[in-house]
Amino acid sequence: MMPFAIIVAMDQDRGIGREARLPWHLKGDLRHFYETTKTTRDRDKRNVVIMGRRTWDSIPAPFRPLPDRINVVITANKSLEFPKGVFCASRLADALALTQKQILEGMVESVYVIGGAQIYQQAIQHPQCRKIYLTQILNSFDCDTFFPVFTDRFQQESVSPKRVEGNLAYFFAEYVR
Ligand SMILES: NC(=O)c1ccc[n+]([C@@H]2O[C@H](COP(=O)([O-])OP(=O)(O)OC[C@H]3O[C@@H](n4cnc5c(N)ncnc54)[C@H](OP(=O)(O)O)[C@@H]3O)[C@@H](O)[C@H]2O)c1
């Protein structure tokens, strides 16, 4: 099975969401998310983004599916309908397996798990989860949804200089298993 990465933005308390949405708006982080998940070395290939159904729902309709990436939504609900080109899977393992099935064979460069908490929790335990692209926000947002503890399994590989946007400070870090 192909290795995959997690990409996540979290606050000081490992918070990632509140009331089914992102509690912050950080242009620099949205750009970083777009560039990381979209960029491929091979122009003929695309990256896959795997997300939970609630994260799919949290993306405003005009912005989904996330363009230029193969979108996979995990749901147990077989009767949900998704726009053309969007794949759905009933488990993380099936979503990961899909990236190697004939329908996508040779088309996929990298696979990113993009949330939310339920999917991160499952992803972080998976042996093929090799990397975490973390945006660490240095503020607190009273979140109701959290990223799991990960520093016992992953170690920091790189860290960017601190950035400031409005009254928020953050940096990018990469962790490897
Ligand atoms: N800060 C960040 O980087 C970031 C990134 C992404 C999301 N978020 C935030 O995270 C929150 C959403 O996270 P969440 O944990 O509530 O939801 P989620 O992980 O996005 O989605 C949960 C849904 O996924 C499906 N699912 C999960 N595990 C499954 C399994 N084993 N088998 C089948 N289906 C499964 C279920 O869908 P069904 O109910 O349809 O069966 C479940 O309700 C929002 O606040 C969002 O804004 C933050």
Side-chain angles (χ1 to χ4, degrees):
M1 194 172 269
M2 218 174 152
F4 68 90
I6 281 175
I7 183 162
V8 61
M10 72 177 79
D11 76 359
Q12 289 191 127
D13 315 311
R14 264 185 297 107
I16 63 162
R18 188 174 65 212
E19 292 167 356
R21 52 189 290 276
L22 288 182
W24 50 76
H25 182 79
L26 279 174
K27 272 207 180 106
D29 183 49
L30 291 176
R31 196 174 316 117
H32 174 258
F33 175 83
Y34 177 75
E35 278 164 11
T36 305
T37 57
K38 203 207 100 160
T39 306
T40 54
R41 288 178 302 276
D42 180 340
R43 279 206 271 154
D44 296 327
K45 291 191 178 179
R46 285 192 174 204
N47 296 329
V48 168
V49 287
I50 297 176
M51 72 197 91
R53 193 265 308 158
R54 290 194 199 150
T55 293
W56 168 267
D57 282 347
S58 77
I59 305 170
F63 299 111
R64 68 190 198 208
L66 298 179
D68 309 320
R69 288 148 286 183
I70 299 163
N71 288 227
V72 182
V73 182
I74 301 179
T75 175
N77 185 343
K78 297 248 188 302
S79 57
L80 286 182
E81 284 182 25
F82 294 97
K84 196 164 167 261
V86 174
F87 293 86
C88 78
S90 57
R91 300 186 313 143
L92 176 64
D94 294 343
L96 294 167
L98 183 71
T99 64
Q100 320 229 288
K101 289 226 172 96
Q102 215 169 10
I103 185 165
L104 293 176
E105 202 185 350
M107 284 174 59
V108 176
E109 186 163 291
S110 302
V111 178
Y112 295 92
V113 166
I114 65 165
Q118 288 187 23
I119 305 303
Y120 287 142
Q121 181 69 50
Q122 297 164 46
I124 210 160
Q125 296 178 40
H126 198 290
Q128 291 299 80
C129 179
R130 298 286 172 76
K131 190 157 187 164
I132 300 175
Y133 292 90
L134 168 67
T135 302
Q136 180 65 64
I137 303 170
L138 302 166
N139 303 75
S140 281
F141 286 87
D142 196 20
C143 289
D144 59 22
T145 316
F146 297 86
F147 193 79
V149 171
F150 63 100
T151 45
D152 52 345
R153 274 178 246 214
F154 291 81
Q155 62 196 52
Q156 197 175 72
E157 186 183 47
S158 66
V159 60
S160 78
K162 189 167 95 176
R163 299 171 167 221
V164 176
E165 222 180 283
N167 50 10
L168 301 183
Y170 64 101
F171 61 84
F172 301 118
E174 295 181 14
Y175 282 77
V176 289
R177 197 185 275 279

